[in-house]
Amino acid sequence: QVQLQESGPGLVKPSQTLSLTCAVSGGSITTGYYDWSWIRQPPGKGKEWIGYITVGGTTYYSPSLKSRASISRDTSKNQIPLQLCSVTPEVTAVYYCARKPGAVYWSDYDKYDFWGQGTQVTVSS
């Protein structure tokens, strides 16, 4: 059974860089036909896709976040880090990491097969 666990600071100041980590257990981030995704949900709103990294290490981002988001992978630790630079209060959300089969479209959240429990991030001075 694959398990994902997000971690990071709960509070970040505006203009700082947000760094989150997704620790994956029960499966390798470099095998199979899967994409490892970051998704967020602002308070009172729907899910927003941030981007994903493939098992081969290729990254894809939401056009609205591409200039500020960076998804990478640490294969030695089986982790998927996310960085968002120059954060604003609008970045406040619950952040999830999730796995989807490679053939599933990025917005088809119902077909993602594993999700982390999510981590709350608040941007405030």
Side-chain angles (χ1 to χ4, degrees):
Q1 180 81 349
V2 174
Q3 292 185 317
L4 300 90
Q5 179 66 58
E6 306 90 345
S7 63
L11 181 65
V12 183
K13 296 185 185 302
S15 80
Q16 289 186 338
T17 295
L18 168 65
S19 295
L20 298 176
T21 297
C22 175
V24 179
S25 59
S28 170
I29 62 174
T30 61
T31 61
Y33 184 42
Y34 300 106
D35 301 321
W36 300 89
S37 311
W38 280 98
I39 294 156
R40 68 185 181 187
Q41 186 162 17
K45 298 184 179 180
K47 292 183 177 69
E48 179 183 10
W49 178 67
I50 298 171
Y52 65 75
I53 186 166
T54 69
V55 294
T58 302
T59 51
Y60 297 87
Y61 298 99
S62 165
S64 64
L65 293 169
K66 186 175 183 178
S67 63
R68 295 189 291 123
S70 176
I71 297 172
S72 59
R73 60 182 187 172
D74 185 333
T75 57
S76 66
K77 296 180 180 179
N78 215 40
Q79 294 178 346
I80 307 289
L82 166 70
Q83 287 196 325
L84 281 177
C85 64
S86 303
V87 298
T88 64
E90 288 69 37
V91 171
T92 295
V94 177
Y95 283 73
Y96 299 92
C97 60
R99 191 185 82 168
K100 69 172 185 69
V104 170
Y105 196 59
W106 60 265
S107 62
D108 212 346
Y109 300 128
D110 289 345
K111 295 182 180 177
Y112 283 55
D113 54 1
F114 292 102
W115 291 78
Q117 64 183 21
T119 187
Q120 173 69 48
V121 173
T122 300
V123 178
S124 175
S125 55

